[in-house]
Amino acid sequence: LNVDMCLFFDIETSFPCCTDTSLSLNDGSNQCDRGGLVLRNTPCAGYVPGSPRAEAASAVELFAGKRPGGGFNDDSRPFFNAFESAWNKATTNGLSDLVPLLRSPTSSPTKSPSDSPSLPQPSAS
């Protein structure tokens, strides 16, 4: 997500820049060189230690899985593990008597509907 990249890189001090200068397009050109900008040698800067945004950058690095050679992996497990824990805390906060929702077991398939509905019969008066 672009939001994640904005949290990870200090784009305020290094824009315009390229988040992953090692990637190429199908035609072999560098993916950072677009729209008249040549940014293949202009990686985005990270936050300096002690920056108020360093904690957010660390979370992005954890969840996006920064590769040692640059870029990020496609492993979503760290995010889903953290989300599961957070969801459990958020949905059970202050409640101790919760039980799992269970489907009612059916011993046979649902019965077919009856014949077409009948029309009201006029009363004999």
Side-chain angles (χ1 to χ4, degrees):
L1 294 173
N2 290 337
V3 170
D4 296 339
M5 294 301 101
C6 289
L7 291 172
F8 186 76
F9 294 108
D10 188 357
I11 59 172
E12 290 176 354
T13 61
S14 59
F15 185 81
C17 59
C18 186
T19 59
D20 189 349
T21 58
S22 67
L23 296 178
S24 297
L25 298 173
N26 290 338
D27 65 3
S29 64
N30 189 289
Q31 63 103 21
C32 296
D33 301 341
R34 293 190 196 183
L37 295 174
V38 178
L39 300 173
R40 72 183 79 147
N41 296 316
T42 313
C44 296
Y47 290 102
V48 296
S51 165
R53 295 183 181 168
E55 186 176 359
S58 294
V60 172
E61 186 170 348
L62 169 69
F63 294 135
K66 190 166 190 251
R67 293 188 307 240
F72 298 91
N73 65 39
D74 291 328
D75 184 3
S76 298
R77 286 176 294 182
F79 170 79
F80 287 121
N81 290 339
F83 182 82
E84 179 182 27
S85 174
W87 180 258
N88 186 47
K89 289 176 187 176
T91 57
T92 62
N93 187 17
L95 302 171
S96 59
D97 59 347
L98 298 174
V99 293
L101 295 174
L102 301 174
R103 291 181 173 225
S104 12
T106 56
S107 56
S108 61
T110 305
K111 294 180 182 178
S112 298
S114 61
D115 293 333
S116 297
S118 57
L119 298 174
Q121 298 297 321
S123 58
S125 350

